Amino acid sequence: LGEDAVPADLYPWSYFGLGGRSFERLKAKKCFVPPILSELILDRDPGAVEAWKSEVLKGSPFDTLITGHYASPVPCKPAEFGAALDEFLRGESEFEGGDLRLLREAQGALAKVGVVAESKVRKKSRGEEARGGR
């Protein structure tokens, strides 16, 4: 993108100081399941996610992921990849509960009218384990 290509200079890499801990997690370039996938897509069929994870982990060793929507490459070894998907499959997220609220409300509304299936992953945000889940 060239200079002045984005209104108000709102380039994604210029949001310094905004977004809190969840945004810091995104910027950290660690291996994780992005919230849009964990809340609206992958949670419909955790069995398929588990099978896909197993197939990927059976393949050749790797140390980098090329993502479709985030800055790439992302340093990630097979153990980190598996751990990120295991965290998702347990319904855990390092993202803030408030940051996930919009996606979870959207998922509920879409499921209610039959646009998407209900989530099959019991979800909790970081810290909810200590409070006994939701």
Side-chain angles (χ1 to χ4, degrees), residues 11-67:
Y11 294 96
W13 51 85
S14 64
Y15 296 166
F16 300 108
L18 300 175
R21 285 180 279 189
S22 289
F23 194 68
E24 291 304 315
R25 172 85 163 132
L26 288 170
K27 290 187 343 184
K29 288 184 143 183
K30 293 182 180 176
C31 189
F32 63 92
V33 177
I36 193 76
L37 295 178
S38 69
E39 302 302 316
L40 296 175
I41 298 171
L42 298 179
D43 61 337
R44 304 298 172 262
D45 194 349
V49 173
E50 180 67 47
W52 176 70
K53 178 189 85 166
S54 295
E55 284 297 311
V56 170
L57 294 178
K58 282 194 299 189
S60 300
F62 56 89
D63 58 13
T64 303
L65 288 179
I66 304 299
T67 67

Side-chain angles (χ1 to χ4, degrees), residues 1-132:
L1 296 173
E3 187 174 330
D4 298 323
V6 176
D9 201 34
L10 292 175
Y11 294 96
W13 51 85
S14 64
Y15 296 166
F16 300 108
L18 300 175
R21 285 180 279 189
S22 289
F23 194 68
E24 291 304 315
R25 172 85 163 132
L26 288 170
K27 290 187 343 184
K29 288 184 143 183
K30 293 182 180 176
C31 189
F32 63 92
V33 177
I36 193 76
L37 295 178
S38 69
E39 302 302 316
L40 296 175
I41 298 171
L42 298 179
D43 61 337
R44 304 298 172 262
D45 194 349
V49 173
E50 180 67 47
W52 176 70
K53 178 189 85 166
S54 295
E55 284 297 311
V56 170
L57 294 178
K58 282 194 299 189
S60 300
F62 56 89
D63 58 13
T64 303
L65 288 179
I66 304 299
T67 67
H69 299 288
Y70 295 103
S72 288
V74 176
C76 184
K77 296 189 181 310
E80 296 165 304
F81 177 82
L85 286 168
D86 288 342
E87 179 181 273
F88 157 72
L89 291 166
R90 289 190 306 267
E92 298 171 4
S93 176
E94 290 200 25
F95 297 95
E96 297 293 309
D99 293 341
L100 294 174
R101 186 176 308 120
L102 176 64
L103 289 172
R104 289 180 178 170
E105 288 174 359
Q107 182 278 324
L110 291 170
K112 186 175 183 178
V113 296
V115 174
V116 298
E118 288 287 337
S119 175
K120 293 181 176 68
V121 175
R122 184 177 180 275
K123 300 171 187 171
K124 52 191 172 242
S125 299
R126 178 68 61 206
E128 286 187 81
E129 299 87 8
R131 295 189 307 265

